[in-house]
Amino acid sequence: MKTNLSLLLHAGGAGLLLAGLCGAAMASDEASPIDVTVGVSVLGKTESNAYGTLKLSRSVGNGMAVDLMGTMGSRKRFAGTGFAIRHGGSDIELRLRRETDGNASGSLGLAIASTPAGRSAPFLTLSGETRMAGNDKTSVSLVLRAATRVSSSLYGTGFRADTKLNNMDAYFEGLWVSGSENTYSINTGKREQRAVYRLGVRPQLGGKLKFELGVTNQLGRTTGMSLTPGLGKGLGGYVELTTRF
């Protein structure tokens, strides 16, 4: 009974949030062109899965932007000795994001995940990032992130380090995850928590085109997927391309 009530409360709040996000995007008189990002992450070893990335982002004025993001992967089953682990899946998220002078940002969103943990139920997402130290070439920021799923909420706390190199930008993000477990042991089949990380570089191409590549153990860019590592401890590579319309 309590679980059903929680699901109803989450669904009702998510519906109100969705209406608010769409209203903000449509009502703004300062709406800008749309940035479109497409990409793919390939996680090897035990995860053995590829995840597609799609992101549409549009500024709506006053430092606000609306993002529609999707991570798309196959549903898979890992067979261990005396146990089986279901993993993979897809996630879609709509969020309202706010940035302040490039030193801080925050977002509030709605997501639905077709994954074993997400159970296709809507849930709220939150994120925040604030610059702690740095100069014109390097910076270190505090990163907070949450996916408030009814039965398995995830909370990420960590940092992001950015630096400018010759003709390219590079960054590293690392998050320690609390709340529910975010993966499984491939030796015992039991649920466990594991940190997530991403190392990326962006060559400075100029114009409307942006390109990024790197290594990660995160399943994707949506909030829930960014707090979920691939099964096992293998690394994965990714590439992303962004352009403006």
Side-chain angles (χ1 to χ4, degrees):
M1 181 67 179
K2 289 183 179 180
T3 300
N4 291 336
L5 179 59
S6 296
L7 283 168
L8 288 173
L9 290 174
H10 271 67
L16 291 174
L17 175 63
L18 178 59
L21 291 175
C22 292
M26 297 300 294
S28 173
D29 294 329
E30 303 178 38
S32 67
I34 297 176
D35 291 327
V36 179
T37 300
V38 294
V40 62
S41 301
V42 180
L43 299 177
K45 284 198 171 181
T46 312
E47 177 70 26
S48 187
N49 210 347
Y51 292 87
T53 295
L54 175 64
K55 178 182 177 182
L56 308 177
S57 183
R58 187 179 191 184
S59 172
V60 293
N62 298 317
M64 308 289 286
V66 173
D67 301 326
L68 177 61
M69 303 183 294
T71 296
M72 297 143 285
S74 300
R75 297 286 292 269
K76 292 200 170 186
R77 182 177 180 270
F78 172 80
T81 304
F83 63 89
I85 299 172
R86 294 180 300 122
H87 63 104
S90 302
D91 191 8
I92 187 169
E93 180 177 359
L94 178 65
R95 69 181 185 183
L96 183 64
R97 177 168 44 88
R98 175 69 187 271
E99 294 187 358
T100 306
D101 299 328
N103 293 319
S105 64
S107 71
L108 179 65
L110 162 68
I112 299 177
S114 176
T115 63
R119 302 180 181 178
S120 298
F123 59 92
L124 301 181
T125 65
L126 303 96
S127 70
E129 185 173 327
T130 183
R131 181 170 172 167
M132 305 295 292
N135 52 39
D136 292 340
K137 290 188 176 181
T138 61
S139 65
V140 177
S141 301
L142 172 68
V143 178
L144 303 173
R145 203 169 292 163
T148 62
R149 299 184 302 216
V150 173
S151 59
S152 57
S153 292
L154 301 176
Y155 307 99
T157 305
F159 72 96
R160 172 176 168 138
D162 289 82
T163 186
K164 293 183 181 296
L165 305 173
N166 291 332
N167 300 318
M168 71 173 57
D169 300 325
Y171 73 93
F172 175 82
E173 173 185 275
L175 295 171
W176 291 265
V177 180
S178 59
S180 298
E181 296 83 359
N182 62 347
T183 189
Y184 292 85
S185 167
I186 60 174
N187 297 316
T188 65
K190 294 182 178 180
R191 298 178 66 173
E192 62 183 15
Q193 289 179 342
R194 197 144 48 84
V196 291
Y197 50 86
R198 182 180 294 266
L199 173 65
V201 294
R202 299 192 194 100
Q204 296 175 2
L205 302 179
K208 297 180 179 180
L209 199 62
K210 296 180 181 179
F211 177 71
E212 180 175 326
L213 75 163
V215 295
T216 185
N217 72 340
Q218 298 170 331
L219 296 189
R221 289 289 197 179
T222 54
T223 302
M225 293 295 203
S226 74
L227 294 173
T228 306
L231 200 61
K233 297 182 179 180
L235 284 173
Y238 74 94
V239 293
E240 293 176 350
L241 189 66
T242 300
T243 190
R244 175 165 290 183
F245 292 94

